[in-house]
Amino acid sequence: MFDVLILGGGPAGLTAAIYAQRAGLDSAVLEKNAAGGQITTTHLLENYPGFPEGISGYDFSMDLLKQAERFGVSFIQEEAVKVSLEGEVKSVVTDRNTYEARTVIIACGVSPRELGIKGEEEFRGMGVSYCATCDGAFFRGLPVAVVGGGDTALEDALYLSDMASEVYLIHRRNEFRAQSYLVEKAREKENIHFVLNCVPVEIAGGFDLEKIAVEDKETHEIRALDVAGVFIAAGQIPHTEIFKDSVETDKAGYIIAGESTETNIPGVYAAGDVRVKTLRQVVTAVADGAVAGTNAYNYIKGIR
Ligand code: NAP
């Protein structure tokens, strides 16, 4: 039995592990993929304090993992499929084993939202991508589209503008959700073209992806943009499906937990992008991890 079982090996989960293990708890991180979470695909983490030149998301993740392993955290590469969280002993069933723990920290993060339009599935991995930094290099010298109006879409457009010939930034409104400095930076780029107040309706092509069709929300006119790649940055969906019968979530599926990271179940905490919060950033994820790891310690020791 572990003292703390942490579900998810991104910045929140790894930081929770560092805090818990360093405090003397026996901690394990369960992660179905490699360690690091979503941030591993970020080209440059520019706004994490303490790195004046920025740091690549991958390097940052690997350093976090090294730090957790130095304290003796166990890293288990398995997928949690079922949980039982009530009572003093929690259990987590994975695709291979069942683990027991006195506390559980949910740090499962989020995954990209799909548009659900024609051609999206057909061209997935063949021109349709959800990660500009992973796949951008395949489109060097070619025209691409980015769908979305949040920070990710703007960052993706900026990143792609250095390698693609043209970048069409397709957003369904005239105003952006993204931070204004990113919008300004994108406006300064000659090869980023704003396609606003338009919704994507179809992705099409022959063997290769060739077009994305967009509908103007006011005129209902449909026009096709010639592109070789479509990068979808339409927000995220929290990985909370297996918790929904026991842990309280909001309508969108984010776990209801405040800054204390405490959920409705004693000894169960939610850290990082998976919980209801206003700012989903690495810096807030690691802060959550620190709080959750410390609160797991306090819970086990009967403090507070
Ligand atoms: P987001 O902020 O939720 O933005 C999603 C965008 O996609 C919105 O503009 C939304 O339009 C659009 N959208 C949603 N569904 C759509 C659909 N079916 N069709 C077309 N467009 C659709 O998501 P995000 O950009 O991935 O950011 C997620 C979080 O990470 C945010 O808190 C963000 O601040 C943070 N983040 C921060 C940084 C940074 O600071 N460097 C970088 C990346 C992400 P509407 O605006 O009309 O809803």
Side-chain angles (χ1 to χ4, degrees):
M1 165 136 60
F2 292 106
D3 291 323
V4 193
L5 193 54
I6 298 153
L7 310 184
L14 291 174
T15 305
I18 290 168
Y19 271 70
Q21 191 79 18
R22 190 164 176 266
L25 301 183
D26 185 17
S27 324
V29 174
L30 266 187
E31 165 62 60
K32 66 174 173 174
N33 299 313
Q38 284 219 115
I39 197 65
T40 49
T41 61
T42 292
H43 172 62
L44 187 67
L45 187 51
E46 234 183 347
N47 55 1
Y48 191 86
F51 294 92
E53 305 300 324
I55 180 169
S56 89
Y58 179 80
D59 289 348
F60 180 80
S61 307
M62 291 306 107
D63 283 350
L64 261 184
L65 178 64
K66 253 191 248 163
Q67 198 176 355
E69 285 178 337
R70 183 165 72 82
F71 287 114
V73 172
S74 313
F75 192 84
I76 303 167
Q77 203 165 358
E78 292 174 26
E79 180 173 8
V81 292
K82 212 169 120 191
V83 290
S84 168
L85 300 175
E86 303 286 347
E88 289 197 355
V89 177
K90 329 281 184 201
S91 74
V92 174
V93 179
T94 73
D95 41 355
R96 273 170 267 166
N97 293 295
T98 298
Y99 298 97
E100 288 186 335
R102 297 160 80 186
T103 61
V104 167
I105 297 174
I106 303 169
C108 299
V110 295
S111 59
R113 176 179 291 116
E114 295 170 10
L115 299 177
I117 60 172
K118 199 168 168 215
E120 183 179 10
E121 197 54 48
E122 186 187 340
F123 287 102
R124 178 191 288 261
M126 306 280 291
V128 170
S129 168
Y130 300 85
C131 175
T133 50
C134 316
D135 301 325
F138 296 123
F139 299 90
R140 205 168 283 280
L142 297 169
V144 298
V146 173
V147 179
D151 286 336
T152 305
L154 270 292
E155 282 190 353
D156 285 359
L158 285 164
Y159 176 72
L160 291 164
S161 69
D162 287 337
M163 55 192 86
S165 58
E166 312 296 329
V167 179
Y168 297 98
L169 179 62
I170 302 167
H171 179 38
R172 61 185 178 185
R173 292 188 294 136
N174 282 321
E175 276 84 44
F176 286 94
R177 194 178 283 272
Q179 300 167 75
S180 54
Y181 85 92
L182 288 171
V183 180
E184 285 321 307
K185 260 174 133 177
R187 284 198 199 282
E188 284 164 17
K189 289 272 184 174
E190 275 182 9
N191 65 341
I192 298 183
H193 311 288
F194 287 65
V195 182
L196 302 183
N197 219 21
C198 284
V199 286
V201 287
E202 184 180 350
I203 293 165
F207 182 73
D208 294 322
L209 192 159
E210 290 165 10
K211 287 176 196 312
I212 180 164
V214 298
E215 180 177 351
D216 186 297
K217 278 169 72 181
E218 253 166 49
T219 62
H220 299 291
E221 182 200 339
I222 293 180
R223 65 176 165 130
L225 302 167
D226 292 333
V227 292
V230 174
F231 290 86
I232 297 170
Q236 296 154 341
I237 298 180
H239 291 155
T240 50
E241 196 54 31
I242 61 168
F243 310 107
K244 71 171 198 274
D245 292 336
S246 48
V247 183
E248 280 175 10
T249 62
D250 69 3
K251 267 196 207 146
Y254 290 97
I255 294 176
I256 296 173
E259 272 186 46
S260 71
T261 72
E262 288 165 4
T263 67
N264 57 309
I265 305 176
V268 177
Y269 307 88
D273 286 0
V274 81
R275 83 170 173 93
V276 171
K277 55 160 68 178
T278 49
L279 185 62
R280 292 197 167 81
Q281 299 271 284
V282 177
V283 73
T284 62
V286 298
D288 280 3
V291 173
T294 306
N295 280 344
Y297 175 86
N298 289 342
Y299 173 85
I300 287 170
K301 300 293 175 191
I303 301 168
R304 254 188 331 128

